[in-house]
Amino acid sequence: QVQLVESGGGLVQAGGSLRLSCAASGRTFSSYVMHWFRQAPGKEREFVAAIAWSGGNTYYGDSVKGRFTISRDNAKNTMYLQMNSLKPEDTAVYYCAAGRLVGARGGMDYWGKGTLVTVSS
């Protein structure tokens, strides 16, 4: 079965950094675009970043450009989200996902269960 498992969430002070990981298994993802989405309590799930598994092209939501960096290690079947200069408004559950269309949260084929990131002021 296909699984996406996030890790690395936790509590961090504003201005700090955190790195999230997503371990993928169960199939090859060479034809997929890998994503990070996030959802704060009572808010809609929003696009954060994406990376094409094979080519490595990256995409970012406007709110995280210049602060977050998405990457992947093909040999380890793992992707990462390096989050710097964190703000309280970054507090959310962060989800790993895989799909064909960049940023299309309704079109993802696979989702992880999420990892909580809390940024204190």
Side-chain angles (χ1 to χ4, degrees), residues 1-2 4 8 12 19 28 41 47-48 64 67-68 74 76 81 83 85-86 95 97 100-101 105:
Q1 68 277 16
V2 175
L4 300 175
V12 64
R19 189 175 80 154
T28 59
F47 169 73
V48 175
V64 306
R67 298 190 297 123
F68 291 9
N74 294 34
K76 295 182 178 180
L81 185 68
M83 304 184 294
S85 301
L86 283 163
Y95 296 91
R100 306 290 188 174
L101 301 177
R105 68 178 185 271

Side-chain angles (χ1 to χ4, degrees), residues 30-106:
S30 59
S31 63
Y32 280 83
V33 182
M34 308 301 294
H35 293 73
W36 289 99
F37 289 86
R38 67 186 183 186
Q39 188 166 26
K43 305 295 183 180
E44 295 182 353
R45 190 168 299 185
E46 67 171 342
F47 169 73
V48 175
I51 184 167
W53 190 261
S54 295
N57 292 341
T58 59
Y59 312 86
Y60 296 94
D62 290 340
S63 64
V64 306
K65 288 180 180 178
R67 298 190 297 123
F68 291 9
T69 303
I70 190 170
S71 62
R72 85 277 195 251
D73 186 332
N74 294 34
K76 295 182 178 180
N77 292 323
T78 302
M79 72 161 181
Y80 307 92
L81 185 68
Q82 179 66 47
M83 304 184 294
N84 298 326
S85 301
L86 283 163
K87 306 173 182 179
E89 50 263 47
D90 294 319
T91 295
V93 176
Y94 284 71
Y95 296 91
C96 177
R100 306 290 188 174
L101 301 177
V102 176
R105 68 178 185 271

Side-chain angles (χ1 to χ4, degrees), residues 3-7 22 36 45 93-97 110-116:
Q3 288 188 317
L4 300 175
V5 181
E6 304 95 336
S7 62
C22 173
W36 289 99
R45 190 168 299 185
V93 176
Y94 284 71
Y95 296 91
C96 177
Y110 308 104
W111 288 91
K113 293 183 178 180
T115 186
L116 177 62

